[in-house]
Amino acid sequence: GTTVTATRNDGTLSTLIVYGTITEFVVGTVASIQTGTIVLGSGVTSNTATISAVDTNNSFPIYGGVLTTTAGAVSARTVCTAIDLTNATTITAIRSLGTDSTTVAYTVLNLAPGIIKNIQKVAMTSTSAGTQDDSTITAVSLANTIVFDNGMTTGVVAMRDSNMFRWYLTSTTNFRYERRGTSTTSRTMKVSIVELNPGF
């Protein structure tokens, strides 16, 4: 209840600063919070974890980061991973190529009925030489909407600037993905857009 821990595979080469946000909910607003990890072994591009059943209309996944067993330089296709709440009891982790063993962390948050107005999953694939892509979504109230990261997969081998990205809502009906660099190699990023009912 008083400690946050950041973990990485190799701590001898350089300094890392890890940022996070701690959110504590009012009693009665959370039906369940489940956390865990999914291992993508060498050569594996997809794997699942079984969770206790959740209400998919009131639940969404939160990406918790990734660890790889390979020290030093590692392929971007190995460490760039994404998650998805596949159904009420299954969460799936994916990547584009599995040359090294990788462990993906996740949280599944199931809120009580009446808090969430709607959840929209966005999976945006960018293959162009441009650095910006837009996706039309069902209209939301910006004052009551949060975007949660679900990770990214990429076909790029090297860790490069074109894998650096940000995302945000530009309007009530538009979601934008921006990245650095102009690589034409395909990459797909995933988010959950969660709109809360007024008053929450």
Side-chain angles (χ1 to χ4, degrees):
T2 60
T3 305
V4 176
T5 302
T7 305
R8 61 176 173 173
N9 185 59
D10 189 337
T12 61
L13 299 178
S14 59
T15 299
L16 289 178
I17 300 175
V18 181
Y19 295 91
T21 298
I22 308 300
T23 304
E24 183 176 12
F25 292 88
V26 174
V27 174
T29 57
V30 176
S32 69
I33 297 177
Q34 301 180 63
T35 62
T37 58
I38 300 173
V39 176
L40 298 170
S42 179
V44 176
T45 57
S46 177
N47 198 10
T48 63
T50 300
I51 59 174
S52 298
V54 297
D55 177 356
T56 55
N57 292 319
N58 294 299
S59 302
F60 53 90
I62 304 171
Y63 184 75
V66 63
L67 287 177
T68 178
T69 58
T70 302
V74 64
S75 169
R77 295 176 296 187
T78 292
V79 298
C80 289
T81 53
I83 57 172
D84 185 33
L85 183 59
T86 312
N87 56 50
T89 59
T90 307
I91 186 162
T92 302
I94 61 171
R95 59 181 174 179
S96 63
L97 185 66
T99 55
D100 301 282
S101 182
T102 294
T103 301
V104 184
Y106 67 85
T107 295
V108 177
L109 177 57
N110 185 181
L111 294 180
I115 296 176
I116 293 178
K117 183 176 182 180
N118 68 67
I119 300 173
Q120 299 181 61
K121 294 181 180 180
V122 174
M124 183 176 290
T125 299
S126 173
T127 57
S128 69
T131 58
Q132 180 177 296
D133 291 279
D134 291 287
S135 179
T136 300
I137 62 171
T138 301
V140 297
S141 168
L142 296 179
N144 297 324
T145 301
I146 309 171
V147 182
F148 290 91
D149 179 29
N150 294 158
M152 181 186 75
T153 61
T154 180
V156 175
V157 176
M159 297 298 287
R160 53 181 296 171
D161 60 355
S162 59
N163 286 319
M164 304 296 105
F165 67 94
R166 66 174 182 165
W167 40 251
Y168 52 95
L169 295 171
T170 64
S171 70
T172 60
T173 58
N174 191 76
F175 174 79
R176 176 166 294 168
Y177 164 56
E178 291 182 341
R179 61 184 171 91
R180 182 81 171 97
T182 56
S183 170
T184 58
T185 305
S186 175
R187 72 212 68 232
T188 299
M189 55 81 58
K190 293 176 174 284
V191 298
S192 294
I193 300 174
V194 181
E195 182 179 12
L196 305 177
N197 280 311
F200 290 99

